[in-house]
């Protein structure tokens, strides 16, 4: 299983349920990487989706202990159930947030696609710093650039 996330320099990922700064290059990269894949997301993060709708061209899986049905999503009750569902599907499966889902699903992932957005903004949600985790290693930078004066790079991390 994989995950995809955008982080700021302090590994912050969001504030009040959304990304404080979202780069169009990162959104395009996200669409390319997740197209045709299974995406696994927490129920609260769906509130930040365009129109609170399932992402088109993907198999959408939501983790929710309390909401039994979400239109356009297969709903599972736990991260364990999500991991089992993904493994049985044979599809490329990608965890796409939010913060608590990332933390709970990280042990199931062997690859992390991390967009590093080189700025710091006020965040209330953070992703574990993979640069400081000996279980993870950055393998390559697949793309880098600058948008609106903010440098970014898309990095591939693999579990060691």
């Amino acid at each position: 299983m994989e995950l995809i996330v955008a982080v700021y320099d302090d590994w912050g990922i969001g504030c009040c349920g959304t990304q404080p700064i979202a780069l169009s290059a990162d959104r395009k990269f996200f669409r390319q990487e997740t197209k045709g894949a299974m995406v696994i997301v927490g129920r609260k993060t769906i509130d930040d989706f365009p129109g609170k709708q399932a992402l088109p061209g993907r198999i959408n899986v939501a983790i929710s202990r309390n909401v039994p049905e979400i239109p356009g999503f297969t709903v599972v009750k736990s991260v364990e159930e999500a991991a089992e569902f993904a493994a049985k599907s044979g599809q490329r499966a990608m965890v796409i947030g939010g913060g608590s889902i990332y933390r709970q699903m990280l042990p199931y992932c062997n690859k992390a696609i991390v967009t590093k957005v080189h700025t710091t903004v006020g965040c209330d949600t953070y992703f574990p710093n993979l640069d400081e985790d000996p279980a993870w290693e950055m393998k390559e930078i697949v793309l880098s650039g600058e948008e609106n004066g903010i440098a970014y790079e898309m990095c591939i991390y693999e579990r060691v």
Side-chain angles (χ1 to χ4, degrees):
M1 192 173 326
E2 304 174 33
L3 65 83
I4 187 165
V5 64
V7 302
Y8 304 105
D9 285 334
D10 60 358
W11 290 79
I13 61 171
C15 184
C16 302
T18 193
Q19 284 181 302
I21 296 174
L23 302 178
S24 62
D26 180 55
R27 296 277 168 111
K28 180 180 176 184
F29 183 72
F30 174 88
R31 281 191 304 277
Q32 290 171 341
E33 286 295 316
T34 61
K35 199 73 164 173
M38 175 185 294
V39 292
I40 301 170
V41 63
R43 203 254 339 129
K44 290 180 189 173
T45 299
I46 295 167
D47 291 344
D48 197 39
F49 283 14
K52 300 182 183 183
Q53 300 292 314
L55 300 178
R58 298 156 187 91
I59 298 165
N60 289 263
V61 177
I63 300 172
S64 175
R65 289 184 298 272
N66 305 318
V67 180
E69 283 188 27
I70 303 170
F73 290 82
T74 297
V75 179
V76 296
K77 294 187 181 306
S78 67
V79 295
E80 295 82 11
E81 191 178 340
E84 184 178 317
F85 183 77
K88 286 181 179 176
S89 76
Q91 293 281 123
R92 180 182 188 199
M94 304 182 79
V95 178
I96 63 170
S100 101
I101 299 301
Y102 280 132
R103 283 188 299 281
Q104 293 175 67
M105 294 294 295
L106 188 61
Y108 296 97
C109 296
N110 292 314
K111 180 178 180 182
I113 303 167
V114 180
T115 298
K116 292 184 172 184
V117 180
H118 292 298
T119 190
T120 303
V121 295
C123 287
D124 59 16
T125 306
Y126 293 83
F127 188 84
N129 184 335
L130 298 184
D131 290 328
E132 294 178 355
D133 187 336
W136 290 88
E137 179 177 70
M138 185 173 38
K139 292 293 186 177
E140 72 176 300
I141 297 172
V142 294
L143 186 65
S144 62
E146 186 176 306
E147 185 177 312
N148 300 324
I150 300 170
Y152 62 85
E153 51 198 16
M154 283 77 166
C155 308
I156 305 295
Y157 285 79
E158 292 180 2
R159 188 176 293 282
V160 178

